[in-house]
């Protein structure tokens, strides 16, 4: 099967086609599930007091579950409320296998890990208040009533929604510009991701840039660990780029969630709030900012750890959450993804990356740089046999390169709707 990537044709095995097809069919938010015209037009709805009362009770119950008691609360300038929660009371410890435990100490980082960042790092907007969470606590972005009420399914709030796998990826509304490696055993990945605030033109669309760590048969047993930044008006209620995580062990069916919206990921860091807005962001022909993301498997205890920025270890996904990823990953993927809802009858103008094509280069197009993988010996290595895929290259493109400073890198993204992408 041939893929088009930056107008170059690449031949890859059918299993890659199957997985990429699967990814294209998974919407980022479960909250878009089963929305019809009446869901989006309150004027057409019939007010049913008893049903509304039941729904509000479910909303309040969910909020009590995910919003833990705070020892300190910080108001961010962007409207977020950050709760400082005692670390062993965070949502992860609602999990039966974690009850009564406390977060682990960080493990040894992969060999070859060093700070080679020459671009200014981005951090988070809530830290501009000069407030911080005390030692022994973690910052959690508070989920508000209005966040949950934007959804049509409280049960699946903050989760991806799986639809049946189809082979004809071009007919699906998820569009990608990605680079990936496969065919080996992988124990982690690292990249620096350029941060922008792409325009999202429909409240039920999104734009994200992330790293995927993947294993499984690409059916119902798919395991993924994901981290990066995303703009998602539906999940967050605004258009800020936000640091996010995700995991699943059953192809997004019943397990996993974004950020700390379920029991799973264990946060250990008191300086970074998962789901909070990233600041500053890059500007066209202006200063460029990026975030470092590293995910790796601790060879001693087997948990998957996450690092953000220049050495900030955020926490870990316990190994017992997974089946295939309990041993290793079979694919690593880097890149951008958007949703094209077609709500206006033509291609969306939702941007990917900076909103400019890969060919425009530094300061104009968004990039991933210093791509690496972690091997069985817990060593960071350069990539081999890197594949590129842009499934709608007239809308969003990708172009790779390599040099002594950035190692393996690529530019990616685009504006969406244009003369060649009607």
């Amino acid at each position: 099967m041939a893929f088009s990537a930056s107008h170059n044709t690449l031949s890859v095995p059918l299993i890659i086609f199957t997985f990429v097809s699967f990814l294209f069919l998974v919407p980022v938010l479960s909250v878009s599930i089963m929305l019809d015209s009446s869901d989006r037009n309150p004027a057409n709805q019939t007010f049913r007091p008893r049903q509304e009362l039941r729904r509000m009770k479910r909303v309040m119950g969910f909020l009590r579950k995910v919003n833990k008691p705070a020892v300190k609360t910080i108001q961010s300038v962007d409207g977020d409320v950050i709760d400082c929660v005692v670390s062993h009371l965070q949502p992860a410890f609602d999990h039966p296998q974690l009850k009564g435990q406390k977060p682990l100490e960080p493990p040894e980082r992969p060999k070859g890990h060093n700070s080679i960042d020459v671009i200014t790092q981005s951090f988070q907007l809530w830290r501009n208040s000069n407030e911080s969470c005390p030692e022994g606590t973690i910052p959690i972005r508070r989920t508000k009533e209005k966040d949950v009420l934007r959804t049509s399914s409280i049960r699946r709030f903050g989760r991806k929604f799986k639809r049946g796998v189809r082979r004809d990826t071009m007919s699906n509304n998820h569009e990608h510009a990605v680079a990936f490696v496969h065919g080996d055993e992988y124990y982690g990945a690292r990249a620096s991701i350029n941060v922008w605030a792409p325009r999202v033109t429909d409240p039920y669309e999104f734009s994200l840039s992330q790293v995927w760590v993947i294993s499984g048969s690409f059916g119902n047993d798919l395991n993924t660990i994901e981290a990066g930044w995303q703009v998602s008006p539906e999940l967050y209620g605004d258009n800020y780029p936000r640091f996010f995580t995700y995991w699943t062990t059953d192809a997004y069916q019943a397990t996993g969630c974004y950020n700390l919206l379920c029991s799973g990921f264990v946060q250990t860091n008191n300086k970074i709030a998962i789901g909070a807005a990233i600041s500053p962001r890059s500007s066209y022909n202006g200063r460029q900012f990026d975030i470092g993301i590293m995910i790796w498997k601790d060879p001693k205890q087997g948990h998957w750890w996450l690092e953000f920025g220049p050495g900030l270890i955020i926490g870990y996904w316990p190994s017992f959450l997974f089946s295939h990823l309990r041993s290793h990953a079979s694919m690593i993927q880097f890149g951008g993804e958007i949703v094209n809802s077609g709500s206006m009858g033509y291609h969306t103008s939702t941007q990917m990356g900076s909103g400019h094509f890969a060919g425009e280069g530094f300061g104009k197009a968004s990039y991933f740089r210093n791509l690496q993988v972690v091997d069985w010996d817990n060593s960071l290595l350069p990539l081999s046999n890197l594949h590129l895929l842009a499934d709608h290259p007239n809308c969003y493109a990708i172009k790779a390169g390599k040099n002594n400073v950035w190692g393996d890198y690529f530019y990616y993204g685009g504006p969406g709707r244009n003369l060649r992408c009607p």
Side-chain angles (χ1 to χ4, degrees):
M1 186 63 62
F3 286 150
S4 173
S6 274
H7 307 289
N8 294 322
T9 301
L10 298 169
S11 231
V12 299
L14 180 60
I15 192 169
I16 305 303
F17 175 81
T18 302
F19 175 68
V20 176
S21 301
F22 180 87
L23 276 185
F24 298 168
L25 288 162
V26 180
V28 157
L29 292 177
S30 63
V31 297
S32 60
I33 202 182
M34 298 298 184
L35 281 171
D36 58 22
S37 58
S38 65
D39 291 317
R40 301 195 185 194
N41 186 357
N44 291 336
Q45 295 182 0
T46 301
F47 182 66
R48 298 179 175 87
R50 191 169 297 176
Q51 292 180 8
E52 288 300 312
L53 181 60
R54 283 199 296 267
R55 185 166 190 247
M56 287 307 301
K57 285 183 177 179
R58 289 196 297 270
V59 170
M60 294 300 107
F62 178 80
L63 292 176
R64 285 193 296 270
K65 183 177 180 180
V66 298
N67 292 326
K68 302 300 184 181
V71 300
K72 180 180 179 180
T73 295
I74 301 169
Q75 182 69 53
S76 176
V77 295
D78 62 352
D80 279 358
V81 176
I82 305 298
D83 289 326
C84 302
V85 175
V86 176
S87 58
H88 68 272
L89 299 179
Q90 65 183 285
F93 292 96
D94 291 339
H95 195 288
Q97 295 195 49
L98 290 175
K99 278 189 178 296
Q101 300 183 30
K102 293 187 177 182
L104 300 175
E105 291 298 316
E108 180 181 348
R109 292 178 174 86
K111 294 183 283 290
H113 177 279
N114 52 48
S115 294
I116 54 176
D117 299 317
V118 294
I119 309 296
T120 306
Q121 286 276 347
S122 285
F123 289 99
Q124 294 192 306
L125 202 54
W126 70 276
R127 295 298 304 275
N128 292 350
S129 65
N130 293 321
E131 295 279 352
S132 60
C133 285
E135 291 293 328
T137 71
I138 63 164
I140 301 180
R141 178 183 181 268
R142 184 183 298 176
T143 301
K144 300 177 182 178
E145 178 182 322
K146 62 183 181 181
D147 295 327
V148 185
L149 289 176
R150 282 193 299 271
T151 78
S152 62
S153 171
I154 299 168
R155 183 180 63 86
R156 293 196 60 85
F157 172 73
R159 293 184 175 182
K160 298 187 179 184
F161 174 54
K162 178 184 181 299
R163 288 157 59 184
V165 178
R166 297 198 319 242
R167 301 295 184 259
D168 53 335
T169 63
M170 302 300 284
S171 68
N172 184 253
N173 64 353
H174 284 237
E175 301 180 15
H176 295 65
V178 295
F180 58 92
V181 292
H182 67 98
D184 207 340
E185 295 182 356
Y186 305 103
Y187 295 83
R190 184 188 186 208
S192 291
I193 312 174
N194 199 194
V195 178
W196 295 78
R199 182 176 67 249
V200 175
T201 58
D202 184 291
Y204 297 96
E205 295 179 348
F206 70 87
S207 181
L208 63 77
S209 299
Q210 70 169 54
V211 177
W212 289 264
V213 176
I214 304 153
S215 192
S217 67
F218 312 115
N220 290 335
D221 63 342
L222 183 73
N223 290 201
T224 74
I225 291 172
E226 307 167 27
W229 62 260
Q230 65 180 163
V231 175
S232 176
E234 192 173 20
L235 183 58
Y236 304 107
D238 57 34
N239 289 285
Y240 292 118
R242 294 173 176 274
F243 172 49
F244 81 97
T245 63
Y246 199 89
W247 67 275
T248 182
T249 189
D250 63 355
Y252 309 95
Q253 295 181 101
T255 63
C257 63
Y258 279 107
N259 308 333
L260 302 181
L261 292 173
C262 67
S263 55
F265 184 82
V266 179
Q267 183 161 340
T268 60
N269 186 284
N270 71 330
K271 296 179 175 63
I272 298 294
I274 304 174
I278 299 171
S279 179
R281 304 122 195 180
S282 304
S283 59
Y284 188 81
N285 270 338
R287 293 187 67 187
Q288 300 301 297
F289 299 90
D290 59 28
I291 56 171
I293 295 288
M294 182 168 69
I295 300 167
W296 81 102
K297 192 174 191 291
D298 173 18
K300 293 182 179 178
Q301 298 197 46
H303 307 309
W304 290 89
W305 284 79
L306 172 65
E307 181 181 277
F308 175 91
L312 296 173
I313 295 179
I314 305 303
Y316 59 96
W317 292 270
S319 60
F320 66 73
L321 295 174
F322 304 101
S323 52
H324 299 288
L325 280 176
R326 202 170 290 193
S327 53
H328 61 268
S330 57
M331 178 188 289
I332 303 293
Q333 183 165 307
F334 312 86
E337 177 183 3
I338 65 96
V339 165
N340 173 28
S341 66
S343 59
M344 302 300 292
Y346 44 77
H347 195 283
T348 184
S349 295
T350 285
Q351 299 173 336
M352 180 189 293
S354 69
H356 292 263
F357 284 114
E360 294 192 41
F362 183 76
K364 300 176 181 179
S366 188
Y367 62 79
F368 278 63
R369 63 181 176 90
N370 299 112
L371 310 180
Q372 295 175 293
V373 294
V374 181
D375 72 356
W376 63 273
D377 193 35
N378 200 33
S379 297
L380 279 163
L381 300 176
L383 307 185
S384 60
N385 198 26
L386 182 67
H387 299 280
L388 304 180
L389 168 65
D391 56 27
H392 292 73
N394 290 332
C395 309
Y396 312 101
I398 186 167
K399 182 179 181 181
K402 189 170 187 174
N403 62 37
N404 291 333
V405 178
W406 279 18
D408 289 293
Y409 69 90
F410 62 86
Y411 292 101
Y412 71 103
R417 188 168 188 250
N418 63 80
L419 290 176
R420 299 179 61 196
C421 176

